[in-house]
Amino acid sequence: MRIDILTILPNLLESPFQHSILKKAIENKVVEIHLHDIRTFSTSKQKSVDDYQYGGGAGMVMTCQPISDAIEKLQSERKYDEIIYLTPDGERYEQKTANRLSLATNLMMICGHYKGIDQRIRDLYVTKEISIGDYVLSGGELAAAVLADSIIRLIPGAISDETSALTDSFQDNLLSPPVYTRPPEFKGLKVPDVLLSGHAENIEKWRMEMAEKITMERRPDLLD
Ligand code: ADE
């Protein structure tokens, strides 16, 4: 998979891809991440990327020209499965969207700032608008990093124990059961006996029961 991210703050997006699973996925050529500085596409003398909004009102709007040129350059080089705009008014991001996007070959993500991008960019190019939650971030970069992380971990080869991503919370509409490691007792709290029993069937049954119990208590909406 290849992910192209359009941003005015490419430096902000470097670190998330330099650690842990994402770093290894890039090293193992499971995924390529390309960061593009929107400002470098600006044809204005001052390399500006925003302007006042028509109709008045507080807050600047990201202008069409630099974003359009960046998108069209990338589109001339390859076909994109989705051109995603990160925005609080997009569809709410869920695991099932991550699963679907993990099957793509080429994804483009556009990070907005200020009041957002000119509506005409959305109308002309964007194929999917995604929000990572009902709160407003200063820009789309952290949302793009969230999307990229959740997608990349699902690509075969990104995680050494491939079954591990499949047992994540949400994969079967259930939250994950509790997990324990050594020691068997810590500050008076013991690891449940069943996990020490070595009885695979009972362990699986316990995990399923705990997942259902926790989901029922915390997120009953997932069971609907
Ligand atoms: N940009 C600003 N806030 C956002 C959000 N909640 N989700 C996605 N992109 C955003």
Side-chain angles (χ1 to χ4, degrees):
M1 178 187 290
R2 174 181 166 122
I3 304 178
D4 290 275
I5 306 180
L6 277 53
T7 168
I8 56 167
L9 298 173
N11 294 346
L12 176 58
L13 271 171
E14 273 168 18
S15 172
F17 301 106
Q18 289 172 351
H19 307 274
S20 184
I21 290 172
L22 303 193
K23 180 185 178 192
K24 287 213 191 82
I26 293 166
E27 283 171 359
N28 295 338
K29 309 220 180 312
V30 168
V31 66
E32 278 179 39
I33 306 289
H34 296 266
L35 304 176
H36 306 275
D37 186 348
I38 293 170
R39 201 173 291 282
T40 63
F41 289 87
S42 174
T43 53
S44 82
K45 253 201 223 125
Q46 303 79 14
K47 293 279 168 204
S48 78
V49 290
D50 61 332
D51 208 336
Y52 297 102
Q53 55 174 313
Y54 279 125
M60 305 293 272
V61 176
M62 288 176 72
T63 52
C64 291
Q65 179 273 318
I67 305 177
S68 170
D69 284 6
I71 294 174
E72 290 189 6
K73 175 177 179 284
L74 290 169
Q75 279 182 321
S76 73
E77 293 164 356
R78 70 196 59 76
K79 200 178 158 352
Y80 285 87
D81 299 286
E82 297 282 4
I83 298 183
I84 299 166
Y85 175 47
L86 287 315
T87 175
D89 60 8
E91 69 173 67
R92 181 95 66 90
Y93 192 53
E94 290 180 7
Q95 187 64 43
K96 66 173 187 311
T97 314
N99 293 349
R100 223 176 286 133
L101 291 174
S102 74
L103 303 174
T105 308
N106 295 306
L107 293 175
M108 196 190 301
M109 298 183 191
I110 305 168
C111 305
H113 267 264
Y114 321 115
K115 278 279 160 200
I117 61 175
D118 190 299
Q119 179 62 35
R120 289 164 294 186
I121 294 294
R122 299 168 73 159
D123 296 341
L124 282 168
Y125 304 107
V126 170
T127 60
K128 207 169 186 51
E129 302 188 321
I130 293 180
S131 162
I132 62 161
D134 289 345
Y135 42 81
V136 178
L137 302 165
S138 309
E141 284 76 13
L142 297 179
V146 166
L147 248 67
D149 186 312
S150 59
I151 291 166
I152 293 165
R153 58 184 284 103
L154 296 170
I155 305 174
I159 294 182
S160 44
D161 176 4
E162 271 181 35
T163 58
S164 143
L166 297 177
T167 58
D168 284 346
S169 276
F170 302 112
Q171 279 300 10
D172 40 15
N173 269 357
L174 289 175
L175 301 179
S176 292
V179 292
Y180 298 86
T181 184
R182 284 186 288 185
E185 183 172 341
F186 181 72
K187 293 190 188 271
L189 296 183
K190 289 190 173 138
V191 174
D193 285 339
V194 61
L195 295 180
L196 307 174
S197 69
H199 193 301
E201 218 172 279
N202 286 354
I203 292 172
E204 193 45 43
K205 185 166 169 277
W206 179 85
R207 285 185 172 148
M208 183 52 77
E209 283 167 5
M210 291 305 287
E212 284 170 358
K213 179 171 176 283
I214 288 167
T215 309
M216 191 86 81
E217 284 166 6
R218 297 181 192 176
R219 292 293 307 277
D221 56 296
L222 293 175
L223 299 170
D224 291 345

